[in-house]
Amino acid sequence: MKFIEEHQVSMTESLCPVCLRKLEAHIVRNDHLVSMVKTCTEHGDFRTILWRGKPDYEQWQQETVNDPPLYAPKVHGKGCPYDCGICGKHQQQACCVLVEVTSRCDQQCTVCYADVAKAQSTDPSIERIGAIFRHLVHISEDRPFNIQLSGGEPTLRDDLPQIVKSGKQEGLPYIQLNTNGQRLAEDEAYVEALKEAGLSAVFLQFDGVSDDVYENLRGHMRLDMKKKAIENCRKYELGTVLVPTLVPGINTHQIGEIIEFALQYLPTVRGVHFQPVSYFGKYPHMPSDTQRITLPEVIRQIEIQTDGKIQMKDLKPLKTGCSLCSFKGSFVVDEGGAVRSLSSQGGCGCQQEKQTSEIVNARDFVKKKWEMASSHMEKEGQNPKSDLYDFTEWDAYLNRIRNAGFSITCMAFQDVWNLDLSRLKKCSVAIFDADSNELIPFCAYNITSSSGNALHRRSSH
Amino acid sequence: MKEELKNEDGLTCVKCHVLLEPRKVHITYMKSTFPAVLLACPRCQEVYVPEDLAMGKMLEVEKTLEDK
């Protein structure tokens, strides 16, 4: 009989899922399972799975390079995570900032993090959003943040193209739209207007390749609607990222098929960005471990379900933020249809003088990977003496990457059950809180107690 | 029609002290190979990569391959 003793890997801090009081938390390993264990003297013991199997939890973690925010106006009061906006204890600047342009939504999702108002509510004016953009450019360091227009469902606003245009005019280099895609499918003129306004990419909710997945998670959305949205994006050269929320028992068996689907729509589809389900909102009972898929399981399932076309070794932790939160991989499909990794070879090894911070690199990585190169883009020939060199094969290679390159990325959000404050302090995704004019780390903003009380999100206060 | 590459500046190899000559070379970078005609030393085979190429097309390929 095999008996493996549980042992502690590390200690951190978390919250009580019932009263949101700060607790000591133990990260413990039992064979290949890594869990968080914490005890509230009033509400009892809580145990949540964090990591299952290979790649190994300890080996996966690497030292990341973080750039503490210079703009951290909050004075310490109760400490992390109660003091967010970004405070002086936060270790990382934002890569992407979410700006919620409406709280209205046309879906009734079972897994939404946003506290969508059921009743009609007032959207912020375009002038107010313009002021937010100005403020964000002002407080960005080095290079303006990437922006995600979020909600609610942003496409319920008819003036969304004007909002995008105002952001571009304020100097934001990258603006992506988080959407369920319904309006993009039904209103081609709207897609065209968004493109003309300067929208960089569409972050398309895309949970699977069969209708039952959407019926389960979203109520009504159909796959053909998603396809139509992507086709309209293709028509107007809007790069699209497929964003599946992975829920065990619902769509985790479709990971490979989602990737195969993405490959059929290159180069419009720029990549797949997986999001393992998190549990926000009312959960009177702790979600069971079987209701969670952990980051290494996503990595393994990608290899298994693509029959090794995408390999585990080609999916790597990010160099910035916290390595437990995400992974990325860059690939190209070659002429013969084989998928080749662009990111596993470790570079040329030359020592390059550091010119930009890792967070700026991360912002640029997103822009480069998810924006679609225009077919009208000026072709190569930036070299003053280019007429002396024959670049035919070089250009063919670069075009191959533009037209057949894609990324596979993943971000594991935290909820009240598995929240690790040491991870939270390195969070590089922030929400702009319109009430306080503060940037609040994404996971902190959306944390809710088991009865649905929010730590930060205003409508639940 | 590409103009033929010539050693118009009279560049010489610092090691062998002979004039560089145009030559077809294969530049391998992270398992990808790119052909090019560049000036090279006919004796020691050292290849001269001009700055405009290094900072132009070559850098573009590097950035694409390496997520630089």
Side-chain angles (χ1 to χ4, degrees):
Chain A
M1 183 178 165
K2 193 179 174 191
F3 178 77
I4 296 163
E5 197 174 335
E6 186 165 279
H7 70 274
Q8 181 167 300
V9 176
S10 60
M11 282 191 67
T12 185
E13 290 180 307
S14 185
L15 298 181
C16 170
V18 179
C19 64
L20 299 181
R21 193 179 303 160
K22 198 185 290 195
L23 303 176
E24 200 173 72
H26 304 262
I27 310 295
V28 297
R29 172 188 275 281
N30 188 332
D31 196 8
H32 65 287
L33 304 179
V34 178
S35 304
M36 173 179 282
V37 179
K38 54 191 177 183
T39 301
C40 174
T41 50
E42 195 174 339
H43 299 106
D45 299 332
F46 302 92
R47 169 184 285 263
T48 306
I49 189 76
L50 300 178
W51 199 271
R52 287 188 186 98
K54 298 223 176 279
D56 186 77
Y57 179 78
E58 285 90 346
Q59 285 172 5
W60 175 264
Q61 293 180 71
Q62 61 174 32
E63 281 295 319
T64 52
V65 180
N66 291 310
D67 301 284
L70 300 174
Y71 179 82
K74 266 284 181 74
V75 176
H76 295 301
K78 297 185 211 164
C80 181
Y82 309 108
D83 285 345
C84 307
I86 302 294
C87 80
K89 292 250 170 116
H90 206 73
Q91 295 166 17
Q92 176 61 301
Q93 297 172 27
C95 174
C96 179
V97 175
L98 277 67
V99 176
E100 295 186 343
V101 296
T102 183
S103 60
R104 293 177 291 139
C105 189
D106 53 358
Q107 289 191 153
Q108 301 285 322
C109 301
T110 53
V111 292
C112 184
Y113 63 79
D115 186 14
V116 171
K118 301 288 184 288
Q120 193 80 359
S121 59
T122 310
D123 295 339
S125 69
I126 192 163
E127 291 77 18
R128 168 70 177 135
I129 294 170
I132 290 171
F133 288 154
R134 257 193 307 285
H135 176 67
L136 291 175
V137 170
H138 176 68
I139 65 169
S140 298
E141 288 138 33
D142 296 329
R143 167 206 185 275
F145 305 122
N146 290 341
I147 300 296
Q148 176 169 297
L149 300 177
S150 187
E153 172 51 50
T155 61
L156 292 181
R157 287 190 71 143
D158 291 335
D159 61 353
L160 195 64
Q162 287 82 359
I163 290 172
V164 171
K165 195 172 177 184
S166 89
K168 298 300 277 191
Q169 284 170 346
E170 293 296 342
L172 295 164
Y174 180 86
I175 301 175
Q176 72 182 22
L177 167 64
N178 186 4
T179 179
N180 60 36
Q182 185 156 335
R183 183 150 188 193
L184 304 189
E186 294 169 350
D187 188 350
E188 196 180 311
Y190 191 75
V191 179
E192 185 178 16
L194 286 169
K195 174 67 182 182
E196 281 180 4
L199 186 68
S200 307
V202 171
F203 205 59
L204 180 68
Q205 180 191 87
F206 188 94
D207 301 309
V209 293
S210 58
D211 285 341
D212 60 308
V213 169
Y214 295 100
E215 279 153 24
N216 265 315
L217 292 179
R218 311 294 175 185
H220 68 289
M221 200 71 182
R222 298 187 317 274
L223 180 64
D224 57 0
M225 195 76 85
K226 301 287 185 187
K227 286 182 180 170
K228 183 69 181 159
I230 295 168
E231 277 156 17
N232 283 342
C233 287
R234 172 155 63 189
K235 195 165 180 182
Y236 296 99
E237 298 188 332
L238 259 178
T240 304
V241 181
L242 307 185
V243 188
T245 299
L246 293 176
V247 186
I250 305 286
N251 61 352
T252 47
H253 61 292
Q254 291 191 356
I255 287 173
E257 288 174 281
I258 291 168
I259 292 172
E260 288 296 340
F261 179 95
L263 296 183
Q264 290 167 29
Y265 284 88
L266 302 182
T268 304
V269 169
R270 310 296 304 142
V272 182
H273 184 74
F274 292 105
Q275 295 181 337
V277 65
S278 300
Y279 291 93
F280 303 113
K282 279 187 192 175
Y283 281 92
H285 304 293
M286 187 164 70
S288 77
D289 284 352
T290 56
Q291 290 175 278
R292 293 184 186 273
I293 179 167
T294 64
L295 198 122
E297 292 167 278
V298 179
I299 292 174
R300 291 202 304 277
Q301 286 303 315
I302 287 173
E303 179 169 314
I304 292 166
Q305 294 185 27
T306 61
D307 295 324
K309 194 183 270 193
I310 309 281
Q311 296 189 6
M312 285 172 62
K313 67 177 174 57
D314 297 328
L315 301 167
K316 309 272 189 187
L318 269 58
K319 292 177 185 164
T320 187
C322 175
S323 51
L324 294 171
C325 294
S326 50
F327 65 75
K328 69 168 184 177
S330 299
F331 304 89
V332 64
V333 183
D334 69 22
E335 288 79 357
V339 172
R340 195 157 71 84
S341 169
L342 294 175
S343 53
S344 63
Q345 297 160 42
C348 61
C350 64
Q351 297 296 314
Q352 205 182 34
E353 193 180 336
K354 189 182 174 189
Q355 293 171 332
T356 52
S357 65
E358 281 300 336
I359 192 68
V360 169
N361 289 340
R363 290 172 194 157
D364 285 340
F365 175 84
V366 169
K367 185 176 191 310
K368 188 168 75 173
K369 293 293 173 188
W370 289 355
E371 222 169 24
M372 188 176 169
S374 167
S375 58
H376 308 300
M377 219 171 122
E378 200 183 326
K379 297 293 176 202
E380 311 316 319
Q382 301 154 359
N383 297 288
K385 291 185 189 168
S386 60
D387 56 335
L388 286 178
Y389 313 117
D390 184 358
F391 289 131
T392 313
E393 291 188 47
W394 299 52
D395 287 340
Y397 189 81
L398 288 169
N399 282 332
R400 184 83 208 161
I401 291 177
R402 279 196 199 108
N403 294 321
F406 66 99
S407 64
I408 304 282
T409 49
C410 176
M411 181 155 284
F413 296 123
Q414 301 188 89
D415 53 40
V416 76
W417 312 93
N418 60 16
L419 179 70
D420 176 343
L421 292 185
S422 67
R423 271 177 66 184
L424 185 68
K425 285 172 187 162
K426 294 175 185 165
C427 179
S428 61
V429 180
I431 292 190
F432 181 80
D433 179 52
D435 276 2
S436 63
N437 281 342
E438 299 280 8
L439 293 181
I440 299 183
F442 182 89
C443 292
Y445 196 67
N446 290 308
I447 288 283
T448 49
S449 71
S450 55
S451 56
N453 289 325
L455 189 63
H456 287 290
R457 192 175 273 279
R458 63 186 178 277
S459 50
S460 300
H461 284 181
Chain B
M1 184 79 182
K2 294 282 171 194
E3 199 180 317
E4 200 177 325
L5 181 67
K6 290 176 190 156
N7 188 356
E8 287 173 341
D9 299 328
L11 294 170
T12 56
C13 174
V14 287
K15 204 159 56 181
C16 310
H17 306 289
V18 294
L19 276 174
L20 303 186
E21 295 173 359
R23 163 172 304 216
K24 184 156 187 177
V25 298
H26 289 89
I27 299 170
T28 301
Y29 188 76
M30 293 176 69
K31 294 185 183 170
S32 295
T33 300
F34 303 94
V37 175
L38 293 176
L39 295 176
C41 174
R43 194 168 296 169
C44 71
Q45 318 298 326
E46 198 85 5
V47 176
Y48 171 68
V49 179
E51 188 177 358
D52 60 337
L53 177 61
M55 300 307 291
K57 186 69 65 183
M58 204 172 262
L59 182 61
E60 190 182 349
V61 171
E62 279 180 35
K63 281 182 172 172
T64 306
L65 283 177
E66 243 190 274
D67 291 339
K68 270 184 181 170

